[in-house]
Amino acid sequence: MLDLINDFSPGLFFMQALILIILIALMRKFAWRPILDALNTREEGIANALASAEQAKVEMAQLEASNQAAAQEARAQRDEMIKEAREIKEKMIADAAGQAQEKADKIIAQAQDAIAAEKKAALADIKSQVAVLSVDIAEKVTRKELSEKDAQHALIEQLLAEANI
């Protein structure tokens, strides 16, 4: 340290201080400002990137909420469509059951009508057969009774007497 004090030269010190001040001024003018400007520009770019990222995050949240709302709406529409399909199915089943019941009622009514018609026809046939049998029996009885002349006269007189009454 003593060597430094002995070698000290005020002129050299002054020149070195002047060079240092000039160097600082030049650095400030030509290097410091562009470096600070570059740093400020970079800082602004980072701030803009952060703001853009935040905005993108907000947009993503909105998009996600929109997607959830759309999915919920789609589920609601699906549930509504399923409900409508069930209602249509139940209505079709009820309609088919009603039509089947109507057809069954018609068939039963037609069968009852056919049975009644056949019953009437059978009764008419039985009546005609009974009438034919009755006529045959009456004819045979009348032949037997009318085979005698006295019996014929008595029957004719009896019939005339009944007719006059």
Side-chain angles (χ1 to χ4, degrees):
M1 190 81 144
L2 267 166
D3 287 339
L4 283 177
I5 294 178
N6 288 339
D7 286 339
F8 181 73
S9 155
L12 183 61
F13 176 76
F14 177 71
M15 279 305 272
Q16 284 182 347
L18 183 66
I19 290 173
L20 182 63
I21 291 173
I22 292 172
L23 247 171
I24 290 175
L26 286 175
M27 288 288 280
R28 190 172 182 192
K29 183 173 184 179
F30 294 112
W32 191 257
R33 285 195 195 267
I35 290 173
L36 284 179
D37 289 341
L39 285 176
N40 287 336
T41 304
R42 182 173 172 115
E43 188 177 312
E44 287 174 8
I46 290 172
N48 288 340
L50 288 175
S52 295
E54 187 64 31
Q55 185 177 0
K57 184 178 177 183
V58 168
E59 288 176 3
M60 286 299 289
Q62 290 174 348
L63 184 61
E64 185 176 327
S66 166
N67 286 343
Q68 287 178 353
Q72 189 170 1
E73 183 179 339
R75 281 192 289 277
Q77 287 178 350
R78 179 201 65 202
D79 292 342
E80 183 66 27
M81 291 174 72
I82 289 173
K83 180 182 173 187
E84 288 177 6
R86 284 184 184 146
E87 289 174 358
I88 290 170
K89 177 189 83 165
E90 289 172 3
K91 184 180 179 200
M92 289 175 68
I93 289 172
D95 289 346
Q99 289 176 352
Q101 185 63 39
E102 286 178 15
K103 286 182 181 179
D105 291 344
K106 276 185 181 179
I107 291 171
I108 290 171
Q110 288 174 348
Q112 288 174 343
D113 291 343
I115 289 170
E118 288 181 25
K119 183 178 177 183
K120 285 181 184 178
L123 285 174
D125 188 40
I126 288 173
K127 284 181 183 180
S128 71
Q129 287 178 4
V130 167
V132 168
L133 286 175
S134 295
V135 168
D136 286 344
I137 291 172
E139 184 181 333
K140 288 180 184 178
V141 169
T142 306
R143 270 191 211 158
K144 184 179 177 189
E145 286 184 13
L146 293 179
S147 62
E148 300 173 5
K149 288 225 179 221
D150 292 336
Q152 286 179 357
H153 287 294
L155 181 61
I156 292 171
E157 287 179 14
Q158 182 185 359
L159 289 174
L160 288 173
E162 286 178 10
N164 287 333
I165 300 180

